[in-house]
Amino acid sequence: MPLPSHLRIAVRDWPVRRYYLLGTLAASVSSIHFMFVPEQRVVDWAVWFLILIPAAMLIEGILDARLARSNGERLIGETHAAAW
Amino acid sequence: MPLPGERLQRIAFVTTRYAELQGLKLVILGAGVLANVVAWGLLSEALNPFQLMNMQAGLWIYIGTLWADRYYARWFGSVPLVPAPRFALFYAVSNDAAHRSVPVGKPDTVGAWAVFIALLIDSFKGLIYPGGVSLAAVAVTGYSVWVLVEDGVYRPHYLLGLAAGVAGISLTWAVPFGFRLPGPLPTAVAMPYVQIFGILAVALVVVGLLDHRLLVTAMAPGAASAGRRYSAPDRGISRFRLVGAAGSLTVIVHYIAFAGWPRNGEFVYSALMLGWMALLIGAQLLDLRRMRAEQRGAPVKVETDELPAGVRCRRSMWSGT
């Protein structure tokens, strides 16, 4: 789920929100990891997923908050909701 | 995306269907159900999926709906209350209109709430008396039929909801009933419900996204078909993502620090649920403080004031502010 949504934001708002590639990268790594994890160790995969994805989202959220504070006014006109 | 061509017709359509077109609520509902299905698959198939659904539904959907309400109010404003001839008594009671002598209006997104309540009934019933047709599937079918009859021209994507609902009804039609106590549920009984929850969740996410797109297109004609666009990050979403991610990360890091690397998925799941509940309680306390400040007439930080002029103009189209 995070893979397409984060990639979409990164591509749509490139280069302003290119840091969304971090979420894309984290989700890709997690997806590849899932393909090679044996069934009895699926909990390990889930824990790594719970570390990787929130860590990436935390960084994205901090950078988004900083962007909203510093550049939000400049970027508007094309609002969040309108940019589909 | 078909829409009434005339500007006035489009405004009338969006105004009367504003609550229904708030598709992100359906998306949140679908994502919560999907998370339940994935958690059931990852943890252990011996777990009772209805038990997971009860916990997930309450948390996810409550937090998500609060957030979605604020999101839509912030970006699109609110529709002025209008008389509601149908179900007038219900709206009058729910809005306490008799004491305020103001017009009454629709309280919320009827479709999302109907499906949510059906899902909750399914979950509680499944704990004690599993079996039979899923009420959630019936609700999705009924709501999709209503939408197709009323707005089929503009919202044909509800054919997907109809298909998912009918599939859900047919899959659970022959599941036998049986009284039981809470605890593990035989996979043969649980599997049809998990399957239809997965199907319904995907359908809800898709129709919700398309409803949201329809609302955005109607409010800003040309936005959906325009070329490259930049968008400022929405403060509410950024905060929601930040707090959710920080909460999850805090829980998992503390779990590893104090209890070592997890070997049992159920313990991690329970720790996460407790962490999210703490977040929910914290958010509610903040809301309560904000409401009290509003009641006292103290200056409250109004989020719309933070928005730039373009967005405030869009809000004024409806609310007259």
Side-chain angles (χ1 to χ4, degrees), chain A residues 57-79:
Chain A
M57 285 172 68
L58 182 65
I59 295 168
E60 289 168 356
I62 291 169
L63 293 174
D64 257 356
R66 199 180 70 169
L67 185 67
R69 263 201 315 274
S70 59
N71 289 333
E73 294 286 331
R74 207 155 47 78
L75 289 170
I76 223 70
E78 314 293 350
T79 67

Side-chain angles (χ1 to χ4, degrees), chain B residues 26-297:
Chain B
L26 280 181
V27 174
I28 290 164
L29 185 61
V33 176
L34 205 56
N36 169 59
V37 172
V38 172
W40 185 78
L42 281 178
L43 291 175
S44 161
E45 293 189 358
L47 279 175
N48 189 330
F50 296 113
Q51 206 168 344
L52 292 181
M53 184 69 78
N54 275 324
M55 293 173 73
Q56 294 251 9
L59 265 179
W60 270 92
I61 294 151
Y62 183 72
I63 298 174
T65 307
L66 283 180
W67 165 80
D69 274 338
R70 288 181 195 157
Y71 173 84
Y72 281 110
R74 202 163 54 244
W75 287 104
F76 298 108
S78 52
V79 180
L81 295 176
V82 290
R86 280 188 291 178
F87 311 117
L89 180 64
F90 168 73
Y91 293 129
V93 170
S94 64
N95 284 303
D96 197 21
H99 301 291
R100 282 193 266 151
S101 66
V102 292
V104 291
K106 282 190 172 184
D108 214 314
T109 316
V110 177
W113 276 110
V115 175
F116 177 50
I117 289 167
L119 205 60
L120 280 183
I121 294 173
D122 253 359
S123 305
F124 282 113
K125 181 181 143 298
L127 286 176
I128 303 160
Y129 192 57
V133 175
S134 159
L135 280 181
V138 174
V140 170
T141 308
Y143 180 57
S144 300
V145 168
W146 180 81
V147 171
L148 288 171
V149 169
E150 294 278 327
D151 304 327
V153 180
Y154 311 123
R155 299 161 80 190
H157 46 270
Y158 271 83
L159 282 171
L160 181 66
L162 180 62
V166 170
I169 291 172
S170 60
L171 275 172
T172 52
W173 188 264
V175 179
F177 286 96
F179 274 111
R180 57 181 303 286
L181 293 171
L185 192 67
T187 309
V189 179
M191 192 53 86
Y193 292 99
V194 175
Q195 283 174 344
I196 66 141
F197 287 152
I199 293 169
L200 292 178
V202 171
L204 289 176
V205 168
V206 173
V207 297
L209 282 174
L210 289 171
D211 268 351
H212 178 73
R213 184 181 169 82
L214 188 63
L215 179 65
V216 170
T217 312
M219 295 293 284
S225 57
R228 184 176 172 169
R229 285 176 175 272
Y230 296 118
S231 70
D234 177 82
R235 289 187 186 199
I237 295 178
S238 299
R239 204 177 299 148
F240 186 70
R241 184 182 291 130
L242 192 64
V243 171
S248 302
L249 206 55
T250 306
V251 169
I252 196 73
V253 167
H254 277 81
Y255 188 101
I256 293 169
F258 289 105
W261 189 261
R263 292 286 159 219
N264 189 333
E266 289 171 40
F267 292 154
V268 181
Y269 179 81
S270 304
L272 276 174
M273 294 307 286
L274 287 174
W276 287 334
M277 269 184 210
L279 275 180
L280 174 63
I281 292 168
Q284 280 190 315
L285 287 175
L286 283 177
D287 267 352
L288 200 60
R289 189 185 296 174
R290 181 190 168 92
M291 282 166 61
R292 282 181 182 155
E294 279 176 355
Q295 284 170 351
R296 282 198 299 267

